[in-house]
Structure formats: structure tokens, C-alpha cells
Amino acid sequence: DRFSIAIGELEYDDQFMAILSYDGRFPQPWSRVDVDREIADIGYLRLTEYNDPVPVALSNEGDVYTLLGEQTDWSKIAGTGILSEDADGRGDVYELLIDGSLCYILGRSRQIYSRNDLNEWKMLSLEREGRPGYEAEYFGAAELLADGRIIVAGTSRPARDASGLLPDRTGMNQQELMQFFQERMRQRARQAQPEYRLYLFHDGKFHQLEMPSDLAPRDIHVDPMGRIWIVGVDGLILRGRPEDGFGRLDFHGDTETLHSATWFQGELIVASGYMLHRFDGHRLTPLKPKLNDPFRNRNTPTPMKLQTVGDVMFYFDYKHGVCRWDGESWDWIDIPPALLERDFKGLPTP
């Protein structure tokens, strides 16, 4: 009965996001905190001095907002980000992993930081330089394993070559201009493609796991049996364990990009760009009953994230908000319109 989301407007020169927290134990369940950063991830911490879990939000600049009831604890990981005054070139961060009071943050340039409770942040990993011809590797999808290890997907993109992108149009006719751009497109097609890797991180060391470098993960999920599921581009579904390796599970029509996965009531539920699916180990089938509220335009889902808490699955949608599913019916959480306004003046009195 508790969750937090971030909504907002991400103009380059006027960023704004509102962190909305919902606590179903109270008659008025909503609270809001405004920040002038882009929120990249949200989770819940169990702090020593608090009985209930508290929301914590991470900005891509390395700001960490811990929502402690009426007050907000703010901390900043020095050097991170792009727009921050103290940014030193290591880049942004965007992945938050939490185990009780222990929090990890991951990002570009192989950044990994940790903090226990509300103590100081510790840097566990940072590599600013990529291998020749590639930018610094960045960490995306990640998950904590039961033994404290982190499984993380890394991406290495070819270094950008800004030379010769635009021609000198002097004296060039339309046909010559078209030929120039066609040749540039052929050159780019011949350039190296991004490479993807899978790692285990523990005690400051990385151990690379076997995975074809052309597979692009989008989400990692650990089911109750300890099996690791990796979903991603072109219908990627991998299943396995670090000690045994990972096998790809193919299915009919495996061209969907799968963005998120969770284990619910004995099966894997996955989200593509426009639908929720069941996966039985051999095929994807639409999750039923479907979202079917035509008055709110919810017949066309735009999934963002799936997450299971106990016997309830939370579904977060880019356009339509938050919904809970108990395996039989959907329960949409109505968000008061006042909470969605940038100029928030408070909620009306019941």
C-alpha cells in the first residue's frame, strides 16, 4: 500500500520534477516534494531510527533525497553528474539498489557508490577511460543477489567522431549533397557497434559472465528461487545463475523489446513497449484481464516498470499512472489533479 513516483518537465534550462509518495494507511495518502533535478530512480530504505521504510530518490546528477516525513535529507555524491557545478567528467548516475539500510548507486564510467543508513557515500568503482575506440563503459540494469553480490549489465559505445559530420556546401548541388550524406551513412554502418557485457561485482572486483556482446539487456530480475532473468532488445530473455551460466529462451515473434520483468504468482510477467505479457518458458501471451478502461485511454498501455511486493504486482505506466494487480483484477490509483500541477498549492480539504 506504499509507493513513490516522480513526474515532471525536463527542459534543459528549467528542470523540474515532483516526487509523489503514496501511503495507503492514511485517509489522505499523498505527499509531494519538488526538486529541480531529473529523478532517475526511486526505492525504499529501512533506516535505524525509523520503524517504516522511507522513500529515497536519486537524480542523474548524483543528488540523493531521503524523504523523512516532514523533512528531506539531501546528499550529493561529489563529482557526479553533467550539469552540477562539481561535475568532473565522470558522468551521470541512474541506478539505485537497496538492501535494508544499505544503498548502492551505479552509473556511467563504471561508477559504483555505497552508503549505509545516512552515513557518508563511499566510492567502490570508477573508470573514466574506455578501451581504445570506445567511450567509458556505463552500468545500466543491475540487481542485488541474496549473498550481497551485484549483477550488472555494462555497455561500451563507440567513441563519437565529430569530424566530417557536415559538408562544406559551397559549390555542391543537390545530387552531390545527397551523395555525401549517403557515404556518411555507409561509413557509420561500418563503424563498430555497441558492446554489452554482464558482470558480478563483489569486494571491489568485477567478474565477467559469459554473454554474447550483441545482446542488449534492459532489466534484470531475481525470482524467489534465486534464478536470474535478463530481458531486453529483440525479445531477449536469458535465464540462469552465475555459477551455471545463462541460456537464451527463444519464443515465436521474438522481436519485441522487453523493458521490465517481475515474478508474480509462479510465472514471469514482462512488459514490452505497448503490452504486458506472461512468459511460460516457451512463449509470450497477453496478460489477462487486459487494462480495459476506455474512458481513460488505458486500452493502450505504455509500460515503464513492473514490481511485485508480496502478493500484489505494481504496474507503472508512462502515461496512465499506477495500477495494482492481484492476479484477477486491476486497481488503478487515482492521482489528484492538483498533484500533477507544477504550481502546487496543496490538496483540497476533504
Side-chain angles (χ1 to χ4, degrees), residues 116-144:
N116 191 41
D117 224 277
L118 295 180
N119 298 314
E120 295 294 323
W121 289 99
K122 297 180 181 179
M123 185 174 69
L124 305 181
S125 170
L126 174 63
E127 294 184 22
R128 298 173 183 271
E129 301 295 329
R131 60 187 182 84
Y134 286 82
E135 298 177 351
E137 188 172 26
Y138 69 85
F139 290 148
E143 190 60 85
L144 270 170

Short mmCIF file of all heavy atoms in Angstrom, two decimals, residues 116-144:
data_model
loop_
_atom_site.label_atom_id
_atom_site.label_comp_id
_atom_site.label_asym_id
_atom_site.label_seq_id
_atom_site.Cartn_x
_atom_site.Cartn_y
_atom_site.Cartn_z
N ASN A 116 25.63 3.23 4.00
CA ASN A 116 24.79 2.53 4.97
C ASN A 116 24.09 3.57 5.85
O ASN A 116 24.73 4.49 6.37
CB ASN A 116 25.61 1.59 5.83
CG ASN A 116 24.74 0.67 6.67
OD1 ASN A 116 23.72 0.17 6.18
ND2 ASN A 116 25.10 0.46 7.93
N ASP A 117 22.76 3.42 5.98
CA ASP A 117 21.97 4.38 6.72
C ASP A 117 22.14 5.75 6.09
O ASP A 117 22.09 5.87 4.87
CB ASP A 117 22.35 4.36 8.21
CG ASP A 117 21.12 4.38 9.10
OD1 ASP A 117 20.59 5.47 9.35
OD2 ASP A 117 20.68 3.29 9.52
N LEU A 118 22.40 6.79 6.86
CA LEU A 118 22.60 8.14 6.30
C LEU A 118 24.04 8.60 6.47
O LEU A 118 24.32 9.79 6.60
CB LEU A 118 21.65 9.13 6.98
CG LEU A 118 20.15 8.89 6.74
CD1 LEU A 118 19.32 9.94 7.47
CD2 LEU A 118 19.82 8.90 5.25
N ASN A 119 24.97 7.65 6.42
CA ASN A 119 26.39 7.97 6.57
C ASN A 119 26.95 8.51 5.26
O ASN A 119 26.24 8.72 4.28
CB ASN A 119 27.15 6.72 7.04
CG ASN A 119 26.67 6.25 8.40
OD1 ASN A 119 26.50 7.05 9.31
ND2 ASN A 119 26.44 4.95 8.53
N GLU A 120 28.27 8.70 5.22
CA GLU A 120 28.92 9.24 4.03
C GLU A 120 28.92 8.20 2.89
O GLU A 120 28.97 7.00 3.12
CB GLU A 120 30.37 9.64 4.35
CG GLU A 120 30.49 10.78 5.34
CD GLU A 120 29.95 12.08 4.79
OE1 GLU A 120 30.14 12.33 3.59
OE2 GLU A 120 29.32 12.83 5.55
N TRP A 121 28.90 8.71 1.66
CA TRP A 121 28.99 7.85 0.48
C TRP A 121 30.43 7.39 0.27
O TRP A 121 31.37 8.17 0.45
CB TRP A 121 28.50 8.59 -0.76
CG TRP A 121 27.02 8.81 -0.76
CD1 TRP A 121 26.35 9.93 -0.41
CD2 TRP A 121 26.04 7.84 -1.11
NE1 TRP A 121 25.00 9.74 -0.53
CE2 TRP A 121 24.78 8.46 -0.96
CE3 TRP A 121 26.09 6.52 -1.55
CZ2 TRP A 121 23.58 7.79 -1.23
CZ3 TRP A 121 24.91 5.85 -1.82
CH2 TRP A 121 23.68 6.49 -1.66
N LYS A 122 30.59 6.13 -0.10
CA LYS A 122 31.91 5.56 -0.40
C LYS A 122 31.98 5.17 -1.88
O LYS A 122 31.04 4.56 -2.40
CB LYS A 122 32.18 4.33 0.46
CG LYS A 122 32.23 4.60 1.95
CD LYS A 122 32.49 3.31 2.72
CE LYS A 122 32.53 3.57 4.22
NZ LYS A 122 32.75 2.31 4.98
N MET A 123 33.07 5.54 -2.53
CA MET A 123 33.25 5.16 -3.93
C MET A 123 33.85 3.75 -3.99
O MET A 123 34.91 3.50 -3.43
CB MET A 123 34.16 6.15 -4.65
CG MET A 123 34.29 5.86 -6.14
SD MET A 123 35.23 7.14 -7.00
CE MET A 123 36.87 6.84 -6.31
N LEU A 124 33.18 2.84 -4.68
CA LEU A 124 33.65 1.48 -4.82
C LEU A 124 34.28 1.22 -6.18
O LEU A 124 35.10 0.30 -6.32
CB LEU A 124 32.48 0.49 -4.62
CG LEU A 124 31.70 0.62 -3.31
CD1 LEU A 124 30.60 -0.43 -3.26
CD2 LEU A 124 32.62 0.51 -2.10
N SER A 125 33.89 2.01 -7.18
CA SER A 125 34.42 1.78 -8.53
C SER A 125 34.30 3.06 -9.34
O SER A 125 33.31 3.79 -9.22
CB SER A 125 33.64 0.66 -9.23
OG SER A 125 33.98 0.57 -10.61
N LEU A 126 35.31 3.34 -10.18
CA LEU A 126 35.29 4.47 -11.11
C LEU A 126 36.37 4.25 -12.15
O LEU A 126 37.54 4.07 -11.81
CB LEU A 126 35.53 5.80 -10.38
CG LEU A 126 35.66 7.04 -11.27
CD1 LEU A 126 34.38 7.29 -12.04
CD2 LEU A 126 36.04 8.27 -10.45
N GLU A 127 35.98 4.22 -13.43
CA GLU A 127 36.94 4.12 -14.55
C GLU A 127 36.51 5.11 -15.61
O GLU A 127 35.54 4.89 -16.33
CB GLU A 127 36.96 2.69 -15.11
CG GLU A 127 37.52 1.66 -14.13
CD GLU A 127 37.62 0.28 -14.75
OE1 GLU A 127 37.67 0.19 -16.00
OE2 GLU A 127 37.64 -0.70 -13.99
N ARG A 128 37.24 6.20 -15.71
CA ARG A 128 36.87 7.29 -16.60
C ARG A 128 37.13 6.98 -18.08
O ARG A 128 36.46 7.52 -18.96
CB ARG A 128 37.64 8.55 -16.24
CG ARG A 128 37.37 9.07 -14.84
CD ARG A 128 38.31 10.21 -14.53
NE ARG A 128 38.16 10.70 -13.18
CZ ARG A 128 37.33 11.66 -12.81
NH1 ARG A 128 36.55 12.22 -13.72
NH2 ARG A 128 37.25 12.06 -11.56
N GLU A 129 38.10 6.14 -18.36
CA GLU A 129 38.50 5.88 -19.74
C GLU A 129 37.98 4.53 -20.22
O GLU A 129 37.99 3.55 -19.47
CB GLU A 129 40.03 5.91 -19.86
CG GLU A 129 40.66 7.23 -19.45
CD GLU A 129 40.26 8.36 -20.36
OE1 GLU A 129 40.02 8.10 -21.57
OE2 GLU A 129 40.19 9.51 -19.89
N GLY A 130 37.51 4.50 -21.46
CA GLY A 130 37.12 3.24 -22.08
C GLY A 130 38.31 2.63 -22.82
O GLY A 130 39.37 3.24 -22.93
N ARG A 131 38.12 1.45 -23.33
CA ARG A 131 39.19 0.85 -24.12
C ARG A 131 39.31 1.58 -25.45
O ARG A 131 38.39 2.34 -25.83
CB ARG A 131 38.94 -0.64 -24.33
CG ARG A 131 37.67 -1.00 -25.05
CD ARG A 131 37.47 -2.51 -25.02
NE ARG A 131 36.29 -2.91 -25.76
CZ ARG A 131 36.25 -3.11 -27.07
NH1 ARG A 131 37.34 -2.91 -27.80
NH2 ARG A 131 35.14 -3.49 -27.66
N PRO A 132 40.41 1.44 -26.19
CA PRO A 132 40.62 2.21 -27.42
C PRO A 132 39.44 2.12 -28.39
O PRO A 132 38.95 1.02 -28.68
CB PRO A 132 41.88 1.56 -28.02
CG PRO A 132 42.62 1.03 -26.83
CD PRO A 132 41.56 0.57 -25.88
N GLY A 133 38.97 3.29 -28.84
CA GLY A 133 37.88 3.34 -29.78
C GLY A 133 36.50 3.37 -29.15
O GLY A 133 35.49 3.47 -29.86
N TYR A 134 36.43 3.28 -27.82
CA TYR A 134 35.15 3.24 -27.14
C TYR A 134 35.11 4.27 -26.01
O TYR A 134 36.14 4.59 -25.42
CB TYR A 134 34.87 1.84 -26.56
CG TYR A 134 34.50 0.83 -27.60
CD1 TYR A 134 35.47 0.18 -28.36
CD2 TYR A 134 33.16 0.53 -27.85
CE1 TYR A 134 35.12 -0.74 -29.32
CE2 TYR A 134 32.81 -0.40 -28.81
CZ TYR A 134 33.79 -1.04 -29.54
OH TYR A 134 33.45 -1.95 -30.51
N GLU A 135 33.91 4.75 -25.73
CA GLU A 135 33.72 5.63 -24.58
C GLU A 135 33.82 4.83 -23.29
O GLU A 135 33.83 3.60 -23.31
CB GLU A 135 32.36 6.31 -24.67
CG GLU A 135 32.17 7.20 -25.88
CD GLU A 135 30.77 7.78 -25.96
OE1 GLU A 135 29.90 7.34 -25.16
OE2 GLU A 135 30.54 8.66 -26.80
N ALA A 136 33.87 5.53 -22.18
CA ALA A 136 33.89 4.86 -20.88
C ALA A 136 32.63 4.00 -20.74
O ALA A 136 31.53 4.42 -21.10
CB ALA A 136 33.97 5.87 -19.75
N GLU A 137 32.78 2.81 -20.21
CA GLU A 137 31.65 1.89 -20.06
C GLU A 137 30.68 2.43 -19.02
O GLU A 137 31.08 3.01 -18.02
CB GLU A 137 32.17 0.52 -19.62
CG GLU A 137 31.11 -0.56 -19.61
CD GLU A 137 31.71 -1.94 -19.35
OE1 GLU A 137 32.78 -2.00 -18.71
OE2 GLU A 137 31.11 -2.94 -19.78
N TYR A 138 29.39 2.24 -19.28
CA TYR A 138 28.42 2.65 -18.26
C TYR A 138 27.55 1.48 -17.85
O TYR A 138 27.31 0.55 -18.60
CB TYR A 138 27.57 3.84 -18.73
CG TYR A 138 26.59 3.58 -19.85
CD1 TYR A 138 25.32 3.07 -19.58
CD2 TYR A 138 26.91 3.88 -21.16
CE1 TYR A 138 24.40 2.86 -20.58
CE2 TYR A 138 25.99 3.68 -22.18
CZ TYR A 138 24.74 3.17 -21.89
OH TYR A 138 23.83 2.97 -22.90
N PHE A 139 27.13 1.55 -16.59
CA PHE A 139 26.33 0.49 -15.99
C PHE A 139 24.85 0.86 -16.05
O PHE A 139 24.47 1.97 -15.67
CB PHE A 139 26.75 0.24 -14.54
CG PHE A 139 28.10 -0.38 -14.40
CD1 PHE A 139 28.91 -0.11 -13.32
CD2 PHE A 139 28.59 -1.26 -15.37
CE1 PHE A 139 30.16 -0.69 -13.18
CE2 PHE A 139 29.84 -1.84 -15.26
CZ PHE A 139 30.63 -1.55 -14.16
N GLY A 140 24.03 -0.08 -16.51
CA GLY A 140 22.59 0.15 -16.60
C GLY A 140 21.83 -0.77 -15.68
O GLY A 140 21.87 -0.62 -14.46
N ALA A 141 21.14 -1.75 -16.25
CA ALA A 141 20.34 -2.67 -15.44
C ALA A 141 21.23 -3.40 -14.44
O ALA A 141 22.33 -3.83 -14.76
CB ALA A 141 19.63 -3.68 -16.35
N ALA A 142 20.74 -3.53 -13.21
CA ALA A 142 21.51 -4.18 -12.15
C ALA A 142 20.55 -4.74 -11.11
O ALA A 142 19.39 -4.32 -11.01
CB ALA A 142 22.49 -3.20 -11.50
N GLU A 143 21.04 -5.71 -10.33
CA GLU A 143 20.22 -6.29 -9.27
C GLU A 143 21.14 -6.82 -8.19
O GLU A 143 22.26 -7.27 -8.44
CB GLU A 143 19.36 -7.42 -9.82
CG GLU A 143 18.30 -7.93 -8.87
CD GLU A 143 17.31 -6.87 -8.44
OE1 GLU A 143 16.33 -6.64 -9.16
OE2 GLU A 143 17.56 -6.27 -7.37
N LEU A 144 20.65 -6.75 -6.95
CA LEU A 144 21.38 -7.30 -5.81
C LEU A 144 21.01 -8.77 -5.63
O LEU A 144 19.83 -9.13 -5.68
CB LEU A 144 21.03 -6.54 -4.54
CG LEU A 144 21.88 -5.33 -4.17
CD1 LEU A 144 21.23 -4.58 -3.03
CD2 LEU A 144 23.28 -5.76 -3.78
#
